Structure formats: C-alpha cells, structure tokens
Amino acid sequence: MRDVRIPLPDGGSLAAALALPEGTAPDSGWPGVVVVHEIYGVEPDMLDVARSFAGHGYAAVLPDLYSHGSRVKCLARALHQLATGKPGGPAADLDVTRQWLAGRAEVDGGRLGVIGFCMGGGFALAYAAGAPPGVRAASVNYGAVPRREEELASVCPVVASYGGRDQGFRAHGARLREHLRELGIDHDVTIYQEAGHSFMTDGHHPIANLALFPLRHGLVRPAADDAWRRTFSFFDRYVAGQGATGAAPPRTGPA
C-alpha cells in the first residue's frame, strides 16, 4: 500500500491510500474498488479494508475525504450532508477518485465497485445512485438510506449489512431492502440481529464504544465473517466477473 495524491478540479488534491494486488495485472486490468471511510476518517481498520480487497484481486483506493480543506470544516460538512442525505462535496470527491482509479493502466475502468461504512456507507449509496460510469456494485454497511425509493432508481446492484442492535441504523437496512425490492434492483441486504454498529471492522474506538451506546458499537466476529463472505461473493459476481481470484475473504473481514 502506498500514499497518493488525487488532483481535484479546484487545484487542490485528495490524500489517498492505494492498495494493488501482488504480481502483474492481467491484460484486461484488475477490477477496482473505491473505499469510503467511516466518520472517524482514514483509520487503520479502513486501511485494512483496502488491503483486503487488494489481497482478493482488486485495485483499491481509499480517499481521505477530510483532506480537501481543513479537517474541522470537512467533518462539519460531512455531518451536515449525512444529516440531509445530500452528499454533494463528498460525491464530487468520490467521482474524481473513481475517474483517477479508472484511468490507471493496470485497472479496468469498466469493472468498478464502491464500498462504504457508517457515514461512508450512506455516501457510497448516494454516489452509486447517480449511476457513475463503470460502477457495477455498491456495498453499503450500516449507512443512511433515503426515505424516497425513487432516489435509488438508478442504483447498481447492492450488497448491504446492518446490525439488529444498532438502534440508529437498523431501520435503514429494512428500508434499503424494501426500496430495492420495489425497484427490482438485484440486492443482498442482511440485518444481523446479534450485531450493532461498525460490527464489520475492529476499529478500536473506545470513546465511540461509550458515547454511542444506543448503536451497540463494535466488532462482532460471526456477523463480520458472514458479512465479508457475502460482500466478496457479491463483488466477485457483479464487479470482477471472470476476473475474480477466488481468494478466501479475511477471517474477520479486514484484520
């Protein structure tokens, strides 16, 4: 994994981490994935997600959405856009990131996915709903879902995971499943009754574990194992196609 800078139209740039599979890319290029971080930013568990995708045969890029301007302003903007469900700035940054990844010689820009967690899960869903070129699947993990199903009318196939003990977001999982069913969009949405918020990664966020008590925050290994199995299977089917490596997912998701 290496640090990169992604140029932005305003002359600035996004800090990002790029993880590539080992060896030489196939002639067709590797499938790619944009990883959208939690509200905590680019933490070690989010870097582990990118590494896990690289180990599974995907070129993965993790942009730091807080690196476009001051961190305080970026966080405030993200919180506002999370609350309103209209992630304009983050969506634009994600699109620049997608274009940057798709433009790399070792990546197949027509086989892309996006995955997000918590705040990033909502951003990933909203971004995918805009039908960006080459994005074949989205993974939405305990992220916000719009109330109106028509906002997802153009979304790609979706795999999603939510915690049944997550009082803040479990209803969003049920809403997402119903929206996609009504729209006739391929999906795999699972609510793990034993899990809470952020159950797929081991983020070591001690303050969150206390402050976000209603969300029942933290890793739940059996649910995480199954959620990662489903996520990789879905991406291998919809994104990688015959280019999938068939590698086994990590034991606890990213580790």
Side-chain angles (χ1 to χ4, degrees):
M1 176 174 285
R2 60 189 178 92
D3 295 333
V4 297
R5 302 293 304 193
I6 299 175
L8 295 171
D10 64 4
S13 64
L14 281 177
L18 176 68
L20 299 177
E22 293 184 1
T24 303
D27 292 341
S28 60
W30 287 308
V33 61
V34 176
V35 180
V36 193
H37 59 69
E38 293 181 314
I39 197 168
Y40 311 112
V42 178
E43 293 288 322
D45 55 332
M46 295 292 100
L47 293 169
D48 285 343
V49 170
R51 292 189 188 97
S52 293
F53 269 96
H56 202 76
Y58 293 76
V61 61
L62 169 63
D64 183 352
L65 299 180
Y66 298 156
S67 65
H68 188 189
S70 75
R71 185 177 181 86
V72 173
K73 289 183 179 179
C74 288
L75 178 57
R77 180 182 66 177
L79 288 172
H80 172 73
Q81 290 165 341
L82 178 64
T84 61
K86 300 185 182 301
D93 288 347
L94 292 178
D95 198 54
V96 170
T97 301
R98 175 197 59 79
Q99 292 180 56
W100 179 86
L101 182 65
R104 294 186 63 87
E106 69 269 56
V107 175
D108 180 354
R111 292 190 296 151
L112 303 175
V114 59
I115 183 171
F117 304 83
C118 177
M119 175 191 78
F123 287 172
L125 179 63
Y127 176 63
V135 175
R136 296 184 174 191
S139 175
V140 181
N141 304 294
Y142 24 92
V145 177
R147 292 186 178 277
R148 299 187 304 164
E149 70 178 46
E150 57 266 29
E151 293 186 36
L152 300 181
S154 298
V155 79
C156 54
V158 174
V159 56
S161 299
Y162 287 81
R165 301 180 71 224
D166 180 350
Q167 296 180 30
F169 288 88
R170 63 188 178 193
H172 288 260
R175 182 188 301 163
L176 179 59
R177 179 191 289 149
E178 183 61 22
H179 283 354
L180 297 175
R181 181 184 296 128
E182 289 295 320
L183 292 166
I185 293 169
D186 288 350
H187 64 279
D188 175 1
V189 179
T190 296
I191 300 173
Y192 294 92
Q193 296 304 321
E194 73 275 26
H197 198 72
S198 294
F199 71 89
M200 287 176 67
T201 61
D202 192 359
H204 300 292
H205 303 299
I207 295 178
N209 291 339
L210 297 174
L212 302 181
F213 177 74
L215 304 187
R216 303 300 198 277
H217 190 286
L219 172 70
V220 177
R221 188 182 302 275
D225 287 347
D226 190 66
W228 280 108
R229 177 193 60 77
R230 291 173 39 252
T231 299
F232 279 118
S233 176
F234 199 89
F235 270 51
D236 284 351
R237 177 183 176 189
Y238 286 97
V239 179
Q242 63 181 6
T245 65
R251 185 170 180 270
T252 64

